[in-house]
């Protein structure tokens, strides 16, 4: 199905709009982040929301105009005082009055006589701008607007303020947005009638107008009816798309599995500890899903160190009992190797065949491993996304386990499930994701939460110190290392640039080497996999005492003897990241410490983040706080994490609308799975508007 023609005016290139030349078009294409090789379109302008308004409605005369506030005045122009010859730094002053008082209008570097033309002596003009004082006299420097008395309605009394970029003026953006608004069609209503009645919201068309051309400042506020309506629409489109994709993944093409219980019993016996209550419940949830005829799609959330890997192992053992294989996918080779190392001894004891597949394996070993998976001799494959490349064949793939899901987008998820046409999906994340984000990111996934940490885990003492105390920190560290401790020292990505990131870590590495010599090793993203593994091995064998790293180690590195975590420039990290990093220690039986080093001055948000981390180890509390502090920023680390970026919805303000949008999307698809007829057409238009039309081809199969 092609895009409904009613939307054509919104999908035309900005280039085709009057007044947009090649230069402005290129600037806007960059500014709106249009996909490679495409130009920005009219719709981009509408989705670019004002962040505030300038209120020019104060018209209380010169006497009532307040310093530093914006006033709009009806002035009689009295005289001009141009700067003396040869003194270009003296401003051009225009003297004017109304019945309440006098004011000066000030222009710097106003050559060429245009000010005299703009403000002719003896005439009346409406002037709007910020009131200042100079030598006790009121003045407006470079007024924002000067209009003739009979053209007063041309001056916007409530003017939207947009985020801008270098080379793009507010005036130009407002003008373009107006032009696009004039072509905005009246679209069919996609919102259920009872919602429209319940909320009393305007139509999409009127909400767009009210947000971009507000009559009062309240019309453009985030909690106005206009913005609520638009946020709901954006959430509805997102939920609809997720549910369509999900119905493809979880359509009742699953297999109702039956279990004998012997392999899971063998695994339980081989475990060096007993499962926690949370782990037992999660395993119960999973077995229940596997036994049902629908495909499983479950998210296991557990804080760092809550024992998610063991839950996954129990699931994989149960699938092996039903005669099928499992694939466990980790985001990095380092992590895949670690999962393999922790699982292999237990699998061997329990009689489960397990393979590690990485890009760096010798060809012969790889061929043999692939053969064992193809014949079904091995039950479990552990690796990175390379597991799903074309050369890998499974005898009968029944379960895909994905670690750290938020690194994988919807497309990869579809690819995963293609390998096993009926494979169940289990996702593990150490990022405790608040309910709202589970909805936005995963649609309807069922969730199991592991709240408690395995027994024997020690609490972590967290302290916050300024980097100016560096010498003292190194001294303390030396004393602890002499007692046998091991430490992580994490450096941030400086300005999120690969090249600088290395410098930060390498500089710190060089500094620490002066004190600790060969006891320090370094890992960063630019090193070869072999060099990384080598450094990691030395640290794990306790030959090296300090591991200097960039955030490569954020996820899943397990060195029980390491009890000290030092995070440099902690103010640059997000809460979720700090929490993840801290969770790398406290894995053994000794007490652990985490030291957050910050550089002054701290912003309020950074201060609040560091206070939160210091106060609590509860990942869920941290995630909620993160959502609150970052607001629209994305909670799961850098932008690439695949979190949906919202244009109109601001999670802080509109979060409550998500549940409604979710319910409405669900009932729409239940009543009309193929989105046919006029109601379906309206929802398809919504999907195109919010560029979620990738989901539309999947409907046909529905």
């Amino acid at each position: 199905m092609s895009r409904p023609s009613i939307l054509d005016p919104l999908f035309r290139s900005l280039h085709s709009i009057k007044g947009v030349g090649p230069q402005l078009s290129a600037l806007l294409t960059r500014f709106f982040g249009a996909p490679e090789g495409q130009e920005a379109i009219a719709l981009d302008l509408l989705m670019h929301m004002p962040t505030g308004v300038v209120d020019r409605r104060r018209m209380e005369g010169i006497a009532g105009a307040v310093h530093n506030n914006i006033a709009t005045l009806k002035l009689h122009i009295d005289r001009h005082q141009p700067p003396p010859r040869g003194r270009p730094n003296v401003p051009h002053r225009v003297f004017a009055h109304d019945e309440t008082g006098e004011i000066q209008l000030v222009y710097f570097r106003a050559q060429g006589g245009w000010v005299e033309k703009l403000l002719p002596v003896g005439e009346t003009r409406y002037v709007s701008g910020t009131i200042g004082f100079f030598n006790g006299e009121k003045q407006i420097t470079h007024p924002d607007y000067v209009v003739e008395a009979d053209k007063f309605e041309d001056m916007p009394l409530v003017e939207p303020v947009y985020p801008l970029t270098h080379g793009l003026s507010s005036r130009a953006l407002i003008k373009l947005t107006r032009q696009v608004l004039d072509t905005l069609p009246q679209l069919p209503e996609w919102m259920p009638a009872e919602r429209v009645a319940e909320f009393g919201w305007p139509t999409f068309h009127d909400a767009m107008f009210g947000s971009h051309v507000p009559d009062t400042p309240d019309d453009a506020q985030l909690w106005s009816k206009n913005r609520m309506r638009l946020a709901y629409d954006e959430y509805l489109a997102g939920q609809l798309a997720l549910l369509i994709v999900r119905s493809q993944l979880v359509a009742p093409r699953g297999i109702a599995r039956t279990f004998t219980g012997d392999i899971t019993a063998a695994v339980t016996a081989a475990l060096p500890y007993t499962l926690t209550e949370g782990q037992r419940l999660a395993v119960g949830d999973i077995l229940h899903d596997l036994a049902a005829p629908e495909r499983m799609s479950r998210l296991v959330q557990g804080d760092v160190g809550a024992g998610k890997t063991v839950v996954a192992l129990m699931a994989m053992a149960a699938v092996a009992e039903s005669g099928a294989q499992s694939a466990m996918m980790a985001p990095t080779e380092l992590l895949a190797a670690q999962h393999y190392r922790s699982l292999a001894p237990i699998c061997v004891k329990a009689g489960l065949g397990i393979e590690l597949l990485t890009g760096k394996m010798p060809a012969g070993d790889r061929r043999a491993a692939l053969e064992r998976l193809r014949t079904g001799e091995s039950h479990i494959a552990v690796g990175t996304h390379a597991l799903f490349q074309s050369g890998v064949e499974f005898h009968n793939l029944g379960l895909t386990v994905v670690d750290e899901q938020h690194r994988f987008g919807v497309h990869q998820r579809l690819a995963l499930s293609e390998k096993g046409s009926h494979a169940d999906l289990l996702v593990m994340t150490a990022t405790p994701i608040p309910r709202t984000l589970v909805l936005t990111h995963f649609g309807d996934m069922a969730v199991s939460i592991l709240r408690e940490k395995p027994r024997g885990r020690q609490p972590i003492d967290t302290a916050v110190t300024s980097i100016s105390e560096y010498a003292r920190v190194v001294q303390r560290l030396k004393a602890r290392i002499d007692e046998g401790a091991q430490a992580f020292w994490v450096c941030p990505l400086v300005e999120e640039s690969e090249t600088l990131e290395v410098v930060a870590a390498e500089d710190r590495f060089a500094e620490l080497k002066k004190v600790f010599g060969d006891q320090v090793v370094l890992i960063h993203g630019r090193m070869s996999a072999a060099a990384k593994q080598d450094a990691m091995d030395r640290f794990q064998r306790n030959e090296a005492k300090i591991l200097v790293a960039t955030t490569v180690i954020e996820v899943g590195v397990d060195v029980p003897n390491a009890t000290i975590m030092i995070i440099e420039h902690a103010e640059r990290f997000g809460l979720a990241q700090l929490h993840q990093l801290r969770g790398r220690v406290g894995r053994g039986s000794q007490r652990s410490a985490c030291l957050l080093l910050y550089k002054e001055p701290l912003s309020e948000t950074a201060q609040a983040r560091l206070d939160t981390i210091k106060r609590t180890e509860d990942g869920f509390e941290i995630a909620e706080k993160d959502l609150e502090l970052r607001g629209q920023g994305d909670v799961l680390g850098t932008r690439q994490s695949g979190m949906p970026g919202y244009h109109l919805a601001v999670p802080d303000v509109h979060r409550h609308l998500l549940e409604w949008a979710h319910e409405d999307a669900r009932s729409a698809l239940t009543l009309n799975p193929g989105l046919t007829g006029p109601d379906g057409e309206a929802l398809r238009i919504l999907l195109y508007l919010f560029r979620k039309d990738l989901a539309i081809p999947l409907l046909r199969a529905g």
Side-chain angles (χ1 to χ4, degrees):
M1 148 174 177
S2 56
R3 186 174 62 235
S5 55
I6 191 169
L7 293 174
D8 290 348
L10 300 180
F11 280 84
R12 63 192 170 132
S13 155
L14 286 177
H15 215 147
S16 67
I17 293 178
K18 199 169 144 253
V20 180
Q23 217 177 344
L24 181 56
S25 171
L27 176 77
L28 290 167
T29 293
R30 273 201 314 278
F31 182 46
F32 291 131
E36 203 62 39
Q38 295 178 23
E39 290 189 298
I41 56 173
L43 184 60
D44 290 322
L45 278 171
L46 292 190
M47 294 293 180
H48 187 61
M49 283 285 137
T51 45
V53 291
V54 176
D55 188 354
R56 303 188 183 283
R57 293 174 307 167
R58 267 194 96 119
M59 299 181 67
E60 291 155 13
I62 294 170
V66 182
H67 179 56
N68 266 342
N69 283 12
I70 288 176
T72 299
L73 306 168
K74 186 179 183 181
L75 300 178
H76 183 271
I77 310 304
D78 299 326
R79 65 188 175 91
H80 284 251
Q81 183 185 315
R85 268 191 129 54
R87 294 194 55 197
N89 292 341
V90 175
H92 181 124
R93 291 181 180 274
V94 183
F95 295 83
H97 74 274
D98 67 9
E99 51 271 26
T100 70
E102 297 183 346
I103 195 162
Q104 297 176 24
L105 309 175
V106 181
Y107 290 89
F108 285 89
R109 301 197 178 282
Q111 278 80 30
W114 60 268
V115 181
E116 285 86 347
K117 285 199 194 73
L118 183 70
L119 295 153
V121 172
E123 295 206 10
T124 302
R125 290 289 182 270
Y126 280 98
V127 177
S128 186
T130 305
I131 302 291
F133 268 91
F134 181 72
N135 287 343
E137 305 277 331
K138 284 187 184 174
Q139 64 175 29
I140 297 178
T141 306
H142 290 272
D144 302 322
Y145 286 92
V146 174
V147 300
E148 293 166 31
D150 56 349
K151 301 222 174 91
F152 177 58
E153 65 280 358
D154 290 357
M155 187 194 297
L157 289 183
V158 178
E159 185 179 23
V161 178
Y162 293 95
L164 297 170
T165 180
H166 183 65
L168 178 62
S169 74
S170 182
R171 208 53 77 80
L173 191 62
I174 288 174
K175 193 172 153 204
L176 281 176
T177 306
R178 283 287 168 90
Q179 283 173 274
V180 172
L181 278 169
D182 290 339
T183 65
L184 175 63
Q186 287 283 0
L187 299 170
E189 182 56 82
W190 46 73
M191 207 163 123
E194 58 279 10
R195 279 271 183 253
V196 178
E198 178 184 356
F199 293 138
W201 284 343
T203 61
F204 178 80
H205 177 280
D206 294 354
M208 267 295 169
F209 256 91
S211 300
H212 287 291
V213 189
D215 288 333
T216 72
D218 287 346
D219 292 344
Q221 294 287 9
L222 288 174
W223 47 87
S224 66
K225 288 190 166 183
N226 296 322
R227 288 299 299 273
M228 288 286 192
R229 160 81 213 219
L230 297 175
Y232 165 88
D233 290 338
E234 186 167 33
Y235 280 146
L236 182 64
Q239 289 300 308
L240 216 52
L242 272 169
L243 290 173
I244 293 169
V245 169
R246 186 181 144 81
S247 65
Q248 287 302 299
L249 288 179
V250 196
R253 295 192 302 264
I255 289 175
R257 304 190 182 280
T258 50
F259 316 111
T260 57
D262 24 349
I263 304 181
T264 35
V267 168
T268 311
L271 289 175
Y273 43 77
T274 53
L275 296 183
T276 65
E277 181 60 18
Q279 285 172 318
R280 272 203 301 279
L281 289 171
V283 171
D285 289 342
I286 291 166
L287 293 179
H288 176 268
D289 288 358
L290 291 173
E294 293 79 27
R295 279 166 81 173
M296 169 168 82
S297 183
R298 183 170 283 279
L299 180 67
V300 176
Q301 291 190 3
D303 227 334
V304 182
K308 295 178 294 294
T309 319
V310 175
V311 170
L313 176 59
M314 296 298 282
M316 297 191 290
V319 169
E321 291 174 3
S322 76
Q325 295 163 295
S326 300
M328 185 172 199
M329 182 158 114
T332 63
E333 297 216 332
L334 203 71
L335 256 178
Q338 183 173 296
H339 278 319
Y340 177 76
R341 274 202 303 275
S342 64
L343 295 175
I346 304 171
C347 288
V348 171
K349 278 190 192 162
L352 274 172
I354 182 168
E355 304 295 340
L356 175 65
L357 283 183
T358 66
K360 307 288 178 293
M361 290 170 80
D365 295 0
R366 187 179 165 83
R367 268 198 306 278
L370 288 174
E371 183 56 24
R372 289 192 292 270
L373 288 171
R374 198 183 62 74
T375 58
E377 185 189 331
S378 277
H379 306 92
I380 298 173
V382 181
T384 59
H385 50 89
L387 285 177
F388 291 91
Q389 284 160 356
S390 46
V392 184
E393 266 186 74
F394 288 92
H395 177 62
N396 172 11
L397 180 62
L399 173 66
T400 306
V401 179
V402 182
D403 187 10
E404 285 300 316
Q405 158 74 22
H406 57 257
R407 309 283 159 100
F408 302 101
V410 167
H411 297 292
Q412 288 98 313
R413 264 187 272 172
L414 283 166
L416 295 187
S417 50
E418 290 319 297
K419 277 279 177 195
S421 53
H422 305 289
D424 291 293
L425 178 64
L426 180 65
V427 172
M428 309 193 294
T429 173
T431 315
I433 307 175
R435 158 92 182 139
T436 24
L437 286 188
V438 171
L439 276 183
T440 39
H441 198 53
F442 302 108
D444 238 7
M445 266 188 146
V447 181
S448 297
I449 296 176
L450 304 178
R451 291 242 176 220
E452 69 257 86
K453 295 203 173 172
R455 285 189 202 91
R457 281 287 165 91
Q458 298 294 323
I460 301 167
D461 302 317
T462 305
V464 180
T465 302
S466 161
I467 188 73
S468 56
E469 300 277 325
Y470 174 74
R472 206 169 61 84
V473 169
V474 171
Q475 217 180 339
R476 277 287 297 124
L477 182 59
K478 191 159 175 21
R480 291 293 308 273
I481 280 180
D482 292 344
E483 293 163 10
Q486 279 181 286
F488 292 104
W489 190 302
V490 178
C491 301
L493 292 91
V494 178
E495 305 305 331
E496 305 219 345
S497 111
E498 290 284 307
T499 39
L500 289 171
E501 163 198 350
V502 175
V503 180
E506 283 184 339
D507 286 356
R508 180 55 69 225
F509 174 61
E511 283 297 306
L512 290 169
K513 244 182 131 67
K514 290 178 190 164
V515 182
F516 297 98
D518 287 344
Q519 292 187 309
V520 192
V521 288
L522 172 68
I523 286 190
H524 60 66
R526 287 271 173 111
M527 289 162 59
S528 69
K532 272 192 240 180
Q533 195 60 57
D534 180 56
M536 197 65 220
D537 289 344
R538 285 197 55 210
F539 187 61
Q540 273 174 324
R541 290 197 299 266
N542 204 353
E543 288 162 27
K545 300 295 185 187
I546 300 174
L547 174 65
V548 177
T550 52
T551 48
V552 178
I553 61 145
E554 178 183 337
V555 196
V557 175
D558 202 2
V559 183
N561 189 52
T563 54
I564 300 168
M565 168 63 70
I566 296 173
I567 303 174
E568 194 167 341
H569 275 301
E571 76 281 357
R572 294 196 177 184
F573 292 93
L575 261 175
Q577 247 184 332
L578 288 171
H579 179 61
Q580 289 276 35
L581 286 166
R582 173 170 63 183
R584 299 290 129 232
V585 295
R587 296 179 156 236
S589 47
Q590 299 110 309
R591 262 201 101 96
S592 293
C594 173
L595 180 60
L596 306 172
L597 294 175
Y598 64 86
K599 189 172 178 209
E600 275 128 346
L602 275 183
S603 69
E604 265 179 53
T605 314
Q607 179 74 57
R609 277 207 294 262
L610 297 181
D611 289 347
T612 303
I613 281 287
K614 196 177 156 181
R615 193 188 73 244
T616 176
E617 278 190 61
D618 177 337
F620 287 90
E621 187 181 334
I622 287 170
E624 289 292 353
K625 185 73 179 166
D626 201 11
L627 198 55
E628 186 185 313
L629 286 177
R630 269 207 238 191
Q632 229 171 330
D634 68 348
V635 176
L636 302 174
T638 46
R639 280 268 169 237
Q640 289 78 329
S641 58
M643 277 302 295
Y646 288 116
H647 293 285
L648 311 182
V650 177
D652 285 13
V653 182
H654 301 133
R655 214 178 302 172
H656 62 290
L657 300 174
L658 185 59
E659 297 270 357
W660 281 318
H662 177 69
E663 274 171 44
D664 293 346
R666 200 158 52 186
S667 60
L669 283 171
T670 309
L671 292 169
N672 184 357
L675 296 188
T676 51
D679 287 354
E681 177 67 6
L683 288 166
R684 285 172 183 244
I685 288 174
L686 171 74
L687 288 170
Y688 275 103
L689 253 187
F690 287 96
R691 296 183 171 86
K692 302 282 185 199
D693 44 295
L694 275 174
I696 289 178
L698 298 175
L699 278 168
R700 290 192 204 126

